[in-house]
Amino acid sequence: MNIITRNIPNSITCVNLLSGVMAIAAAAGGQDPLWGLKAYQWAFIFIAIGAVADFLDGFAARALHAYSSLGKELDSLCDLVTFGVAPAIIILNLFLQSGQDSWVAWASLLIPVAGAVRLARFNIDTRQATTFIGLPIPANAIFWIGYAALFAQDGVEWLSAWYWFLPILLVECWLMNSSIKIFSLKFKNLKFRENFARYLLIVGAAVCCFCFGVGGLLWLIVFYVLLALAFKRQ
């Protein structure tokens, strides 16, 4: 295998990292206008681009048989930035700009800490080849994107109260490092019986986003965890 082919997956992984850094830069603007949208909305977009790159690097590695220890470690480092640090900075700046219980905003920095521990455990745990143990860090990012979207809406002020935010934050950090088995979203085949939980999740994603917009991503991850508890063998 030539050097170019061997490094295609790692190059895609670096796109994930670049997207994460751009998300952090955009998130620093909070609700300030940026390129026709609010800054935090651009952060959502960059995290989404990072998620696509995170999927494609694994796909490319399997297609090209270009697996490497370097790629595995690089993937985790990039995931920590895009799905750990970036969501934390989004929440931090939205809280600071809101002026409501802004002191608790700094607790959001626990998100990348818990994410780092989760990724380190994942890298040394051979049991997580087909099933996750604990909430995957990309799902964590999706949850906080949904939380931030609801937070920024009028009429959802309760999300800014410390007595709601702190318990939700601690539960989310615990979920990433819990022993709960959570099914992977990868389809080995299209059989309905074997993928029933995955199909339900797809339907749930459509319903949540239709009813709540981007904020529905919060409820989607709640649904994901509940499905994982109900379908432990999927």
Side-chain angles (χ1 to χ4, degrees):
M1 182 182 299
N2 63 52
I3 189 170
I4 295 177
T5 302
R6 187 168 64 246
N7 282 287
I8 287 175
N10 291 344
S11 299
I12 299 173
T13 302
C14 288
V15 173
N16 176 9
L17 175 60
L18 180 60
S19 299
V21 173
M22 293 178 73
I24 292 169
Q31 299 210 49
D32 295 339
L34 178 67
W35 303 328
L37 297 173
K38 292 186 177 179
Y40 75 89
Q41 293 173 324
W42 277 109
F44 293 171
I45 292 170
F46 289 129
I47 291 175
I49 293 172
V52 172
D54 186 47
F55 169 79
L56 291 178
D57 65 2
F59 179 81
R62 290 189 294 272
L64 299 171
H65 303 287
Y67 298 103
S68 68
S69 298
L70 172 64
K72 181 178 180 180
E73 298 302 325
L74 181 62
D75 185 69
S76 290
L77 290 171
C78 296
D79 284 356
L80 178 59
V81 173
T82 305
F83 307 126
V85 179
I89 301 303
I90 292 172
I91 298 296
L92 173 67
N93 283 283
L94 286 178
F95 260 97
L96 290 177
Q97 286 191 346
S98 73
Q100 298 178 351
D101 293 327
S102 59
W103 60 268
V104 81
W106 299 99
S108 63
L109 299 183
L110 288 174
I111 297 171
V113 173
V117 175
R118 193 264 180 277
L119 289 167
R121 290 174 61 246
F122 177 80
N123 281 356
I124 61 173
D125 192 340
T126 57
R127 299 172 297 167
Q128 299 192 55
T130 57
T131 302
F132 297 116
I133 298 177
L135 187 70
I137 193 170
N140 164 76
I142 291 171
F143 177 89
W144 289 113
I145 286 175
Y147 191 100
L150 290 175
F151 181 97
Q153 290 178 9
D154 293 331
V156 201
E157 293 84 0
W158 61 271
L159 286 175
S160 65
W162 68 268
Y163 48 82
W164 280 106
F165 175 67
L166 281 182
I168 291 172
L169 172 68
L170 293 175
V171 169
E172 185 70 8
C173 289
W174 171 79
L175 278 172
M176 281 194 284
N177 292 284
S178 69
S179 59
I180 297 174
K181 291 185 177 181
I182 297 183
F183 60 88
S184 167
L185 301 183
K186 295 177 182 177
F187 286 78
K188 294 181 180 179
N189 55 61
L190 297 178
K191 294 180 180 178
F192 184 78
R193 183 183 295 271
E194 294 180 18
N195 295 288
F196 182 58
R198 295 177 181 86
Y199 287 129
L200 274 180
L201 187 63
I202 292 172
V203 173
V207 171
C208 289
C209 291
F210 178 79
C211 294
F212 303 103
V214 178
L217 295 176
L218 180 153
W219 300 113
L220 173 62
I221 299 305
V222 172
F223 185 51
Y224 182 29
V225 173
L226 293 176
L227 279 179
L229 293 173
F231 296 90
K232 293 182 180 179
R233 296 183 181 181
Q234 288 276 331

